[in-house]
Amino acid sequence: QPGTMIEWGNNWARAIKYRQENQEAGGGVFSQIGELYVVHHLWAYRDLQSREETRNAAWRKRGWDENVYYT
């Protein structure tokens, strides 16, 4: 069952905090035009190596998996 936009926003805010530890630029965009509430997550990485390191580090953090599930 879908949640509310407020719930999604709160989970997204927590996700940003996890990822900011690596000084990573990111953003999220959703639209109410076309297919409703499809979210696109945008992350900026220096290169493919930093992408792999950053993503792996996020998965090792406690609570990241739950955050991903709800966003």
Side-chain angles (χ1 to χ4, degrees), residues 18-34:
Y18 279 111
R19 300 295 287 260
Q20 282 181 335
E21 293 176 11
N22 293 332
Q23 303 299 316
E24 184 179 354
V29 181
F30 71 92
S31 174
Q32 294 183 354
I33 297 173

Side-chain angles (χ1 to χ4, degrees), residues 1-69:
Q1 177 176 344
T4 67
M5 287 302 294
I6 291 172
E7 290 170 330
W8 178 86
N10 289 336
N11 282 306
W12 176 250
R14 276 194 289 279
I16 294 295
K17 287 181 184 178
Y18 279 111
R19 300 295 287 260
Q20 282 181 335
E21 293 176 11
N22 293 332
Q23 303 299 316
E24 184 179 354
V29 181
F30 71 92
S31 174
Q32 294 183 354
I33 297 173
E35 191 174 349
L36 294 181
Y37 305 118
V38 173
V39 179
H40 299 276
H41 300 239
L42 308 169
W43 302 101
Y45 302 97
R46 193 176 30 237
D47 52 35
L48 288 175
Q49 181 65 34
S50 66
R51 176 186 182 269
E52 181 178 359
E53 291 168 2
T54 300
R55 291 169 56 90
N56 289 339
W59 283 107
R60 287 190 297 269
K61 293 178 184 166
R62 185 178 194 168
W64 175 251
D65 56 342
E66 184 177 342
N67 224 316
V68 169
Y69 177 80

